[in-house]
Amino acid sequence: MQNRIASSDSALFDALKRDGFSFVTADVMRPLLQASGDLSDWNAFAASWNQLGPDPYLAATGRLRRRRHATYTAMAHGDVELAPHQPHYQTLQYNRLQGDIERWFEPVEAAMANGASLRTILAFCNDFFSALAPEVSRWHVETHQFRIEASPDAAGEPTPEGNHRDGVDFVLVLLIDRHNIASGTTTIHTPDGKPLGDFTLTRPLDAALIHDPRVFHGVTPVLPLEPTEPAHRDVLVVTFRAKA
């Protein structure tokens, strides 16, 4: 897979190794994904964001977000297996807002968790991240469906914890849809706060690839363009962490 990645877009592979992050436009991301599988259920996959449940932990702080969550185990360059449903956990070191608690979210719908599009995305991530970390033989993988909603009275906060790391090895942030929103700019920083870059995911399949131990990332709040219409930003976040 490393050779395939390098031959199709060596700049992407090299940029992540060199800089710790890369912005990938949809016209580059789509063929990379299609080299790993198919996206035949993409319309149903994208529509499943309409079925997300509220994030009860964030609602307790007065913020609004919808999400679903699933966990997988992956052998490097091999099979990716759906694991039993389990909580999402981060320490306070990585999540100052909601760290040190087990957070249970509604599971990704079974048809989507085992569907073509998500399986293709996971296969791409497994091969790409495994090529970047050849010493890892097995991965703990988490997938998060996020919908950030905005209103004239309250901006949507894609990263309410601010600039942060996720406490994993690698992260994919994939845009699924954005409707009637402005901003939502991804910012990348060094651990001491020096800005390294920024970009905005605007088209479905625009993506950010992040080497989490090396850089911090955040997303600016989103606001509705037309105040009287619904406004949302839908993303899929996939994290890979080396499994002992």
Side-chain angles (χ1 to χ4, degrees), residues 73-76 126 130 135-140 240-244:
T73 297
M75 300 303 295
N126 187 16
S130 294
E135 72 283 1
V136 177
S137 61
R138 197 163 58 143
W139 297 100
H140 174 82
F240 271 58
R241 174 171 54 84
K243 189 178 179 72

Side-chain angles (χ1 to χ4, degrees), residues 132-168:
L132 285 162
E135 72 283 1
V136 177
S137 61
R138 197 163 58 143
W139 297 100
H140 174 82
V141 181
E142 297 191 44
T143 62
H144 307 262
Q145 293 178 287
F146 287 110
R147 168 166 286 183
I148 305 302
E149 297 175 324
S151 71
D153 300 323
E157 296 181 86
T159 53
E161 62 272 65
N163 290 319
H164 66 285
R165 290 166 50 206
D166 289 334
V168 297

Side-chain angles (χ1 to χ4, degrees), residues 68-136:
R68 286 181 184 265
H69 172 248
T71 303
Y72 298 79
T73 297
M75 300 303 295
H77 300 294
D79 293 337
V80 181
E81 298 292 340
L82 182 64
H85 192 51
Q86 56 196 267
H88 175 52
Y89 180 83
Q90 293 173 294
T91 66
L92 279 171
Q93 177 185 359
Y94 297 109
N95 190 327
R96 293 168 294 176
L97 188 64
Q98 297 176 316
D100 285 353
I101 58 173
E102 291 188 344
R103 288 181 287 163
W104 288 90
F105 302 107
E106 292 185 20
V108 174
E109 294 176 313
M112 299 299 103
N114 292 298
S117 291
L118 187 49
R119 286 292 181 175
T120 292
I121 293 164
L122 293 174
F124 162 78
C125 289
N126 187 16
D127 280 341
F128 190 81
F129 296 148
S130 294
L132 285 162
E135 72 283 1
V136 177

